[in-house]
Amino acid sequence: MKTTKKLTFGFVSLILLGGLLVAGANFWKSSLTVHRVLVQGNSVVQTNEILQLTHIGDRTRMYDLDLMKIQKDVISHYFIKEVVVERDLPSTIRITVTERTPVAMINTGELRYLDPEGVVLPHSVSGELFDLPLIGGIPDDVSPKVGSTLLHSDVQEALAILSAARQVNKEMFHLISEVRLRSGGDIVLYTAEGSIPILYGHGHAPSKLVRLEAFWNEIVRERGSHSVQYIDIRFDDQVVVRWKEQLGKSKLQPRS
């Protein structure tokens, strides 16, 4: 009998202790307030812009905040692709963003940016300037509304070309000033140096751009871009060039 009473007393004591711990924890949580909002991962979007989107007031209680709502509000910014919002106790809200990085511009009456997926971004969003190639010849049936994604096959291929150029190296990317679309016909690139047309065709972007880089560095830089009429990289394993002072064509064959 005494043993049963002891067990009952011990069980009740544990329940009371647990209740006190929960009450104490809840009281401690309710006393926590936000002293700092830390934003990280942004370079295009200003930190103040993100802070305004959070709508977090001074000394707001930490556990009064709806983190999912904050995430939704921040990701509404066109240049923000992903957001993670966390409580960093006792007093910090940590916001980590992944931005959309523009890789090209388009001009269909207004300048717009495109990210690698074809998402249309506003031209003026921050003090940061983008030195980006232009995608020209956008089809008339393409509507570049900010926030929409351009899924047209020619636009997507132009973006794939520019993404491949960035993977080759920064110099290759900045060599291209324009990707000209031609209603399903051969795509033409134009160089930033000398505005030389490069007949690109379609497909095989990485291998074509690696060959173009080798040709540009080994041949064009030696002779000067002013002497080139056009370059043709549509063919496998070779680069064809027409020099302004020649009627014939020269070829760069692959090295053995």
Side-chain angles (χ1 to χ4, degrees):
M1 191 70 175
K2 289 183 178 180
T3 302
T4 302
K5 287 182 178 180
K6 287 181 179 180
L7 288 174
T8 301
F9 178 77
F11 181 69
V12 171
S13 298
L14 286 175
I15 292 176
L16 290 173
L17 179 60
L20 289 172
L21 289 173
V22 170
N26 287 335
F27 177 77
W28 177 73
K29 287 171 62 176
S30 68
S31 68
L32 298 178
T33 57
V34 179
H35 288 213
R36 182 187 184 201
V37 179
L38 179 63
V39 178
Q40 54 193 25
N42 60 311
S43 60
V44 176
V45 185
Q46 298 296 314
T47 297
N48 284 340
E49 288 185 75
I50 296 175
L51 292 176
Q52 290 174 8
L53 290 171
T54 67
H55 305 293
I56 298 175
D58 189 35
R59 300 289 179 172
T60 302
R61 291 181 180 181
M62 289 285 284
Y63 284 89
D64 284 348
L65 294 173
D66 183 342
L67 301 190
M68 292 299 294
K69 184 178 184 306
I70 294 172
Q71 180 186 45
K72 183 179 179 180
D73 289 342
V74 174
I75 210 169
S76 67
H77 196 290
Y78 291 119
F79 269 78
I80 295 179
K81 183 177 182 179
E82 297 175 355
V83 183
V84 176
V85 183
E86 303 169 290
R87 294 184 181 91
D88 190 354
L89 300 180
S91 59
T92 299
I93 295 294
R94 186 183 301 272
I95 300 174
T96 305
V97 302
T98 302
E99 295 178 318
R100 294 191 180 277
T101 304
V103 295
M105 292 190 300
I106 59 173
N107 187 355
T108 55
E110 289 184 90
L111 283 177
R112 297 280 189 248
Y113 293 123
L114 293 182
D115 82 346
E117 297 172 0
V119 175
V120 182
L121 305 170
H123 176 254
S124 180
V125 67
S126 74
E128 185 165 335
L129 297 177
F130 297 100
D131 180 17
L132 298 175
L134 177 73
I135 298 179
I138 299 291
D140 293 337
D141 59 345
V142 172
S143 178
K145 181 181 177 182
V146 172
S148 65
T149 302
L150 302 189
L151 298 176
H152 191 281
S153 59
D154 280 358
V155 176
Q156 287 292 317
E157 182 163 14
L159 293 169
I161 293 169
L162 294 174
S163 294
R166 292 178 71 178
Q167 291 176 3
V168 172
N169 57 47
K170 185 184 297 184
E171 288 72 24
M172 185 73 254
F173 178 72
H174 289 297
L175 176 66
I176 302 171
S177 67
E178 182 181 354
V179 180
R180 180 71 59 83
L181 309 181
R182 302 174 65 228
S183 301
D186 285 340
I187 292 174
V188 179
L189 314 180
Y190 288 87
T191 63
E193 183 179 335
S195 194
I196 300 168
I198 300 172
L199 307 182
Y200 173 85
H202 291 280
H204 310 291
S207 57
K208 285 182 177 180
L209 294 174
V210 167
R211 290 199 301 274
L212 175 61
E213 182 199 28
F215 177 78
W216 190 269
N217 289 335
E218 295 174 19
I219 307 298
V220 177
R221 291 203 184 282
E222 180 179 345
R223 298 189 59 165
S225 60
H226 63 278
S227 63
V228 180
Q229 185 170 337
Y230 69 80
I231 298 171
D232 192 340
I233 59 173
R234 292 174 296 175
F235 308 101
D236 292 336
D237 300 325
Q238 66 180 10
V239 174
V240 177
V241 60
R242 185 181 184 94
W243 304 101
K244 290 180 179 178
E245 68 272 17
Q246 295 179 348
L247 295 177
K249 298 178 181 179
S250 300
K251 297 182 179 180
L252 174 67
Q253 301 290 351
R255 294 180 175 182
S256 58

